[in-house]
Amino acid sequence: MPDRLPIVVAGGGPGGMAVAVALAQSAFDVVVIEREPEFPVDLRAGSFHPPTVEMFDALGVGEAMREAGIKVPVWQVRDRRAGVIAEFDLGLLKNDTPYPYRLHVEQHRLTRFLGARSDDLPNLDLRFSTEFVSYEQHDDRILVTIHGPGGTETIDAGYLIGADGGRSGVRKQMGVEFEGFTWPERYLVASCVYDLARHGFAMNAYIADPVEWAAIFKMPHNGPPGLWRLAIPVQPETPDDIALSLPFVRERLHGFQPGLGDAEIPYHSIYRVHQRVAKTFRAGRVVLLGDAAHINNPLGAMGLNSAVHDAVNLAAKLREIRDGGDADALLERYVRQRRGVTIEFVQAMSIRNKRLLEERDPEVRKQRLDELRKTAADPKAAYTHLLGTSMIASLRRAAAIE
Ligand SMILES: Cc1cc2nc3c(=O)[nH]c(=O)nc-3n(C[C@H](O)[C@H](O)[C@H](O)COP(=O)(O)OP(=O)(O)OC[C@H]3O[C@@H](n4cnc5c(N)ncnc54)[C@H](O)[C@@H]3O)c2cc1C
């Protein structure tokens, strides 16, 4: 790649901003184009795993994220009627990570902290209200056409990174299939000013139930009783406008925990959920990461964590290429590593998590919950389980893929 050419990142979401900061810190010229007029207030992700928190340090946002977030050292799997089935203490990982907890903080805070890094990085050019239009590949460069407030422009770039989310226009232009499926139910996510801890809930808990499973996360909030986010399924026959109406939301919350439906609900929304992985993450000088490359259900909190893992991995490969490494070989290794663990870990685990929570066959349900109870009770098995659920195992696996 000619030395002076910038790298264009399509999409200023958390994945795009992570790769942009990682590259700009390594003295690359980076242009980020974000369609929205400012970073969107996206409330989807809220739970970060220990290795991702370590990566925040390398991206210069570790302290800000830890200060803004809630540290969650213990999470539970529960049965909606019988209560706690298994409790996992991330303290078991204290020799594997300096941050043995999940960090709860809204994803738009991460994006903003990353965006603020541009104050110290003059080579990070952030352009809002600017959309990716198309690209044209050449042997030694890629021409990226964008459209922003000043009109249409073509950037002579070294690489284009598609970090433009699940409906990625970059992926579509690559003509790469987004293989997988969409779940029939949507997820209703409601944030309530209420203290679920007084009913025995850990700050992160997954609640199995054959009729209505749930996932809960305590989120940052000014003072007691705290803000608790609850995700529950909405069946296909319920239209969005009904599912989003407050009486419907309150009734469901009451059903989960009497009194919860009376709480203040500062925000609630509904999401369609998919399991999809792009057939490849790369075509020549175009590389995909984050939701543009893979999407999964949020049970286990792995989507955005994976986007950050992709970003850090890809930035390292681009550094090696600049230092004289073989571009084709290195970018193909990125694809093998990140696509490999997406399929082997993230897709498999998120599907398994959902199946565990929603299982209807009483025998299978009992067997799975009993297995989990045993795992939690055996420190060795619990440790292995935590390496997997905290995404440490997937990163170690990726590093071992040649
Ligand atoms: C209910 C729910 C809860 C979740 N909770 C978690 C969690 O706790 N932990 C976790 O790890 N993950 C979680 N996820 C997943 C997480 O939200 C996503 O994986 C994450 O947002 C992916 O980040 P991204 O930057 O790849 O994509 P996005 O966040 O989708 O960002 C893409 C950006 O690209 C911009 N864009 C799109 N098209 C263009 C274009 N043509 N030109 C310019 N810009 C464009 C968009 O405006 C956007 O800003 C959750 C998902 C859901 C639905």
Side-chain angles (χ1 to χ4, degrees), residues 10-17 33-36 40 42-49 107 130-133 163-170 187 189 217 229 231 271-273 289-292 294-298 300-307 391:
M17 286 310 301
I33 51 165
E34 167 55 46
R35 179 164 63 188
E36 300 297 326
D42 191 330
L43 293 164
R44 281 179 292 166
S47 188
F48 296 97
H49 296 291
Q107 72 175 62
T130 303
E131 238 185 326
F132 163 77
V133 177
D164 48 346
R167 294 184 180 149
S168 170
V170 174
Y187 290 16
V189 181
F217 304 83
R229 185 186 283 186
Y271 299 95
R272 193 163 284 290
V273 180
L289 65 71
D291 275 19
H294 45 74
I295 41 179
N296 54 275
N297 81 65
M302 289 180 280
L304 174 49
N305 281 271
S306 297
M391 302 185 81

Side-chain angles (χ1 to χ4, degrees), residues 6 8 31 33 127 142-146 153-157:
V8 175
V31 181
I33 51 165
R127 301 196 195 173
I142 180 165
L143 303 179
V144 183
T145 301
I146 61 174
E153 181 190 342
T154 295
I155 302 178
D156 194 2

